[in-house]
Amino acid sequence: MNKEIVIVLDFGGQYNQLIARRVRECNVYCEVLPYNTSLERIKEIAPKGIIFTGGPASVYAEDSPKCPKEIFDLGIPVLGICYGAQLMNHLLGGVVSKAPVREYGKTEVTVNRDSKLFKDVNETTICWMSHTDYISKPADGFRIIAHTDSCPVAAVEKPEQNLYAVQFHPEVMHTQEGTKMLRNFLYEVCSCTGDWKMASFTEESIKKLREKIGDKKVLCALSGGVDSSVAAVMISKAVGKQLTCIFVDHGLLRKNEGDEVEEVFTTQFDLNFIRVNAQQRFYDKLKGVEEPEKKRKIIGEEFIRVFEEEAKKIGAVDYFVQGTIYPDVIESGLGKSAVIKSHHNVGGLPDYVDFKEIIEPLRMLFKDEVRRAGLELGIPERLVFRQPFPGPGLAIRIIGEVTPEKVVMVQDADAIYREEIAKAGLDRQIGQYFAALTNMRSVGVMGDERTYDYAVALRAVTTTDFMTAEAAEIPWEILGKCASRIVNEVKHVNRVLFDCTGKPPATIEFE
Ligand code: XMP
């Protein structure tokens, strides 16, 4: 079967995977390849179209990423974006110049609606610009199809060769009709049929994994989170019991979570599932420890130790699965920013597990795409739409020392909170919400008795990227119901507080 695919050639821009994702949203399969992918390889893939990404370089810099200009002779439509647009123009003999100032932000662009690229796009439309260099003279045979007040060449085309180039970024949300433009490129220019769905991705991935793994052994550290669950199920569908999943229960999971994960993976999928009940080991190590980063470190290290002990029992394996998804790839690559909190789920590989290669089947997907893949694979909704849960678990939602009693308190309070939020139908609208146990005790009265007990804090945030967040507005009556149920049903809690701080200055978690 000749599969319909569009490739994105990566020239170093920050939105490369986003372009691929937008194309997939238009039901056309898309992958990102390095800019120096050979022409032979491209011919083999036979894509319906090629998109050049943006990038920080200048086409005149000696070491700037370039592709051979013969790429335009392959008979494959090309869309150049930003740097990609300049490169296309430069390679074909046009002139690119440096502007005295950078054009940055939302910009009104006037487009020529006769161009296939702008079919059904408004004549003036808001686009996202971010460039210093610009096309000052289009290459021979190219016609200008868009301009702005300060940029006379905002887009060009050579329709007889199916070459298109835009100075702005159609892939970002700020470009109001960007999706329409990409869709036009895919359907009007590349004549795609749009038969791709997430189902095809999962099927195709399973097939590829089966071919790659053959009869070899695979090991997976399963956390019960969306990413590792989807990765594990995909591999189990490919090679069944050649996959062993180790699930370390550190005793810091939400109420009943360990049992739920065990239930799903032992009854619904074909794989070897090992649950390690290491609760007490973690509690022992955390005894007397109050400092958040120290807690994280202890949990991270203990986790690896427990995992290794189990893995040693299995012996050498060929592959180790990681549920890395695309945003992890970017975040862990940032490197230079200050360590606010050490997130140990990225790059926290056990040192002594005996494996030859890592497989990351979700590396190019965004979170919502992982969720869609999870549903395709038959993973229950409650796991697929599970909110993000930190690796150190409830330990960072208990301020100060962690004790088994406090774990039960925060688990019970959190379960009530989640139940009420779900009942109110708000569970999919709020990015993350949970109960935390403060280390504050205060005076209360229950019946005729004075109490001196703990305060639970409820947190709820809306966020798109978890880097910034706003406190979610939860109706009073729901908060009131939670407060009264928590103080009535959870022992040693006599006060419930709601955290209405955004991030920054607060973080989402309390520690
Ligand atoms: P913060 O608290 O940094 O949280 O605003 C941002 C997101 O990261 C999660 N988080 C963690 N995840 N290990 C993890 O795996 C950690 O140590 C950790 N700390 C915070 C948090 O739940 C939120 O989604």
Side-chain angles (χ1 to χ4, degrees):
M1 189 180 70
N2 205 0
K3 208 176 60 143
E4 186 168 278
I5 179 173
V6 162
I7 58 173
V8 170
L9 281 193
D10 178 357
F11 288 94
Q14 51 177 324
Y15 302 125
N16 308 343
Q17 287 291 345
L18 190 59
I19 301 172
R21 177 222 168 102
R22 295 274 177 256
V23 174
R24 296 196 292 264
E25 278 172 356
C26 295
N27 297 105
V28 174
Y29 186 62
C30 185
E31 272 186 32
V32 179
L33 296 176
Y35 72 90
N36 53 4
T37 304
S38 69
L39 290 184
E40 285 66 42
R41 177 76 193 119
I42 294 176
K43 276 194 243 167
E44 247 170 54
I45 299 172
K48 297 283 280 185
I50 302 174
I51 301 179
F52 290 2
T53 74
S58 165
V59 291
Y60 290 116
E62 242 175 61
D63 55 352
S64 64
K66 294 194 185 74
C67 58
K69 73 168 194 252
E70 289 72 28
I71 197 164
F72 304 112
D73 301 329
L74 298 177
I76 303 171
V78 182
L79 170 67
I81 296 176
C82 198
Y83 172 83
Q86 295 158 10
L87 182 69
M88 178 191 291
N89 194 63
H90 170 71
L91 291 173
L92 294 173
V95 181
V96 173
S97 307
K98 194 166 268 326
V101 285
R102 182 166 170 228
E103 188 179 27
Y104 182 82
K106 289 184 190 173
T107 310
E108 200 173 78
V109 177
T110 307
V111 305
N112 182 338
R113 303 176 64 194
D114 295 339
S115 166
K116 282 183 183 172
L117 195 63
F118 298 130
K119 187 180 161 202
D120 297 331
V121 170
N122 289 314
E123 198 171 343
T124 53
T125 184
I126 300 294
C127 298
W128 183 257
M129 289 280 188
S130 172
H131 66 111
T132 314
D133 286 3
Y134 66 101
I135 299 170
S136 47
K137 182 177 168 291
D140 275 352
F142 277 79
R143 144 179 115 116
I144 299 170
I145 49 170
H147 67 271
T148 73
D149 280 350
S150 57
C151 180
V153 189
V156 291
E157 70 169 10
K158 191 176 181 189
E160 55 286 13
Q161 234 180 310
N162 284 325
L163 302 180
Y164 292 81
V166 292
Q167 186 54 69
F168 50 85
H169 289 272
E171 70 278 18
V172 305
M173 277 304 176
H174 303 302
T175 297
Q176 283 170 0
E177 296 180 276
T179 304
K180 212 183 267 177
M181 297 171 195
L182 286 174
R183 187 172 277 280
N184 283 342
F185 177 68
L186 299 170
Y187 289 92
E188 303 297 323
V189 179
C190 304
S191 310
C192 289
T193 56
D195 56 0
W196 185 80
K197 293 193 188 65
M198 191 45 87
S200 337
F201 173 78
T202 54
E203 258 169 48
E204 190 70 17
S205 302
I206 291 167
K207 208 171 110 215
K208 277 195 203 152
L209 286 165
R210 195 174 290 138
E211 280 162 15
K212 182 180 167 84
I213 299 168
D215 58 359
K216 304 275 178 17
K217 281 213 267 181
V218 191
L219 183 65
C220 173
L222 191 72
S223 68
V226 187
D227 307 339
S228 68
S229 299
V230 174
V233 169
M234 208 176 252
I235 302 221
S236 100
K237 299 248 175 190
V239 296
K241 288 226 157 45
Q242 285 160 245
L243 168 69
T244 301
C245 288
I246 299 179
F247 170 58
V248 176
D249 186 341
H250 53 20
L252 301 161
L253 298 169
R254 284 168 290 201
K255 191 170 182 173
N256 300 330
E257 202 164 27
D259 295 343
E260 281 170 17
V261 171
E262 179 172 351
E263 211 256 334
V264 168
F265 283 91
T266 49
T267 60
Q268 301 196 16
F269 301 107
D270 182 34
L271 47 88
N272 292 309
F273 180 87
I274 300 174
R275 174 173 179 176
V276 191
N277 285 311
Q279 294 89 337
Q280 198 55 49
R281 275 179 72 156
F282 282 87
Y283 297 154
D284 289 348
K285 289 271 174 191
L286 289 169
K287 206 164 174 195
V289 182
E290 293 186 355
E291 213 275 309
E293 282 303 281
K294 211 164 164 196
K295 289 200 245 176
R296 275 196 174 77
K297 200 154 183 274
I298 290 172
I299 295 166
E301 282 173 8
E302 194 61 12
F303 187 90
I304 288 174
R305 209 152 298 140
V306 174
F307 186 83
E308 280 167 0
E309 283 170 23
E310 277 315 305
K312 272 190 191 140
K313 294 183 196 160
I314 298 170
V317 294
D318 303 278
Y319 296 103
F320 184 75
V321 187
Q322 280 210 305
T324 321
I325 68 169
Y326 183 66
D328 301 335
V329 179
I330 331 180
E331 261 186 42
S332 51
L334 289 178
K336 282 195 193 115
S337 50
V339 175
I340 312 290
K341 296 177 187 185
S342 49
H343 288 203
H344 69 79
N345 53 345
V346 179
L349 264 187
D351 298 334
Y352 308 110
V353 177
D354 194 356
F355 66 89
K356 296 198 188 80
E357 204 184 316
I358 294 177
I359 357 184
E360 298 174 310
L362 313 176
R363 206 181 157 78
M364 44 181 264
L365 298 187
F366 285 79
K367 195 79 180 188
D368 58 324
E369 293 183 307
V370 173
R371 291 206 163 102
R372 275 197 279 146
L375 292 177
E376 284 296 332
L377 290 163
I379 302 176
E381 284 204 13
R382 64 174 190 285
L383 256 186
V384 167
F385 290 100
R386 185 182 187 262
Q387 10 166 358
F389 187 65
L394 300 177
I396 56 168
R397 293 181 181 172
I398 294 172
I399 300 179
E401 187 189 6
V402 174
T403 65
E405 296 73 30
K406 286 185 176 174
V407 170
V408 174
M409 282 157 73
V410 76
Q411 276 179 336
D412 286 346
D414 184 67
I416 292 170
Y417 186 36
R418 281 192 288 138
E419 192 184 315
E420 292 301 329
I421 293 280
K423 260 198 239 163
L426 297 175
D427 47 342
R428 298 248 181 115
Q429 291 167 32
I430 310 172
Q432 203 171 358
Y433 57 98
F434 54 84
L437 187 68
T438 71
N439 54 357
M440 179 189 93
R441 289 171 77 193
S442 65
V443 174
V445 56
M446 210 171 236
D448 292 331
E449 298 282 321
R450 174 188 190 272
T451 57
Y452 186 58
D453 276 328
Y454 284 97
V456 156
L458 302 181
R459 182 92 168 119
V461 294
T462 51
T463 173
T464 46
D465 56 7
F466 296 90
M467 313 281 245
T468 60
E470 273 123 52
E473 284 182 32
I474 312 252
W476 260 124
E477 67 215 68
I478 298 168
L479 286 177
K481 178 111 186 273
C482 292
S484 96
R485 279 193 62 195
I486 290 171
V487 290
N488 279 306
E489 295 172 39
V490 185
K491 263 201 203 129
H492 301 299
V493 175
N494 67 354
R495 205 174 279 273
V496 176
L497 313 169
F498 183 72
D499 180 353
C500 52
T501 337
K503 171 184 179 178
T507 53
I508 296 175
E509 302 290 349
F510 280 58
E511 287 197 336

